[in-house]
């Protein structure tokens, strides 16, 4: 499975950094931004796939692990640098875990929220992947 890390352009000077995400940084039109915060270290987020949604996950603060599954392979990516985001395409199962204290995960998404776009059962995901190969 190809892991797509996106370098987020930064403006750096002696007063600190600014990370800037405009539409040309991601391969989709940005329709929604949301963020996970105050996540207990024992919590697991995600546990689903999206049929069409594409996302860029950016660890604004702290760190967490993202487990990706495409129905064949499984890869774990640790996100801990605010200038490196993880692109997740549609039809990828994801689980987020091991959140550090104060971790913030910003998600830049290709569409607005729609429950119809979720696959929340892993066996349904495997069947969906097989049927859409
Ligand atoms: C992902 C990880 C990184 C809304 O009503 N609007 C929204 O925009 C979102 C994102 C969620 N919700 C509701 C839907 C559920 O009842 O909030 C509840 C939890 O949402 P979800 O199951 O998506 O939660 P996470 O944090 O496990 O997953 C989210 C993303 O949705 C998901 O795609 O990859 O963050």
């Amino acid at each position: 499975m190809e892991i797509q890390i996106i370098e987020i352009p930064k403006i750096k000077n002696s007063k600190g950094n600014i990370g800037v995400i405009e539409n040309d940084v991601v391969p989709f039109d940005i329709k929604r931004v949301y963020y996970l915060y105050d996540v207990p270290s024992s919590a697991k987020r995600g546990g689903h796939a999206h049929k069409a949604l594409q996302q860029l996950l950016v660890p604004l603060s702290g760190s967490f692990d993202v487990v990706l599954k495409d129905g064949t392979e499984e890869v774990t990516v640790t996100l801990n640098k605010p200038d490196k985001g993880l692109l997740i395409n549609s039809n990828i199962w994801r689980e987020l875990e091991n959140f550090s204290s104060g971790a913030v995960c910003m998600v830049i998404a290709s569409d607005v929220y729609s429950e119809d776009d979720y696959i929340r059962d892993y066996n349904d995901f495997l069947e969906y992947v097989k049927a859409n190969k």
Side-chain angles (χ1 to χ4, degrees), residues 1 10-11 34 45 48 51 54-55 67 69-71 75 77 95 101 104 106 110 112 114 120 124 127 129 131:
M1 190 191 326
K10 70 178 162 224
I11 299 159
Y34 55 94
R45 305 292 299 245
H48 58 253
K51 296 175 197 161
Q54 295 174 276
Q55 296 150 298
V67 181
K69 299 178 188 176
D70 64 2
V75 179
V77 181
E95 288 151 15
S101 163
V104 179
M106 178 174 71
S110 64
V112 296
S114 165
R120 292 194 182 271
D124 290 349
E127 277 177 28
V129 168

Side-chain angles (χ1 to χ4, degrees), residues 32-36 39 44-50 53 55 57 64 66 88 92 94-96 99 105-107 111-115 118 120:
R32 179 170 50 135
V33 176
Y34 55 94
Y35 44 95
L36 314 180
V39 182
K44 288 185 192 291
R45 305 292 299 245
H48 58 253
H50 288 280
L53 194 75
Q55 296 150 298
L57 272 54
F64 49 89
V66 185
I88 306 184
I92 298 288
R94 87 289 313 272
E95 288 151 15
L96 279 68
F99 282 83
C105 171
M106 178 174 71
V107 183
D111 212 341
V112 296
Y113 170 74
S114 165
E115 188 57 36
Y118 282 75
R120 292 194 182 271

Side-chain angles (χ1 to χ4, degrees), residues 47-51 91 93 115-122 124-126 128-129:
H48 58 253
H50 288 280
K51 296 175 197 161
N91 294 326
W93 188 268
E115 188 57 36
D116 288 346
D117 188 62
Y118 282 75
I119 306 171
R120 292 194 182 271
D121 178 90
Y122 191 66
D124 290 349
F125 165 69
L126 293 177
Y128 188 86
V129 168

Side-chain angles (χ1 to χ4, degrees), residues 28-99:
F28 53 78
D29 279 341
I30 297 169
K31 293 272 181 58
R32 179 170 50 135
V33 176
Y34 55 94
Y35 44 95
L36 314 180
Y37 65 102
D38 285 350
V39 182
S41 58
S42 59
K44 288 185 192 291
R45 305 292 299 245
H48 58 253
H50 288 280
K51 296 175 197 161
L53 194 75
Q54 295 174 276
Q55 296 150 298
L56 178 72
L57 272 54
V58 183
L60 289 189
S61 176
S63 69
F64 49 89
D65 294 336
V66 185
V67 181
L68 300 172
K69 299 178 188 176
D70 64 2
T72 309
E73 280 182 86
E74 174 177 327
V75 179
T76 299
V77 181
T78 299
L79 293 182
N80 55 13
K81 293 189 175 68
D83 63 346
K84 288 188 177 38
L86 173 66
L87 190 67
I88 306 184
N89 280 321
S90 52
N91 294 326
I92 298 288
W93 188 268
R94 87 289 313 272
E95 288 151 15
L96 279 68
E97 58 193 27
N98 294 328
F99 282 83

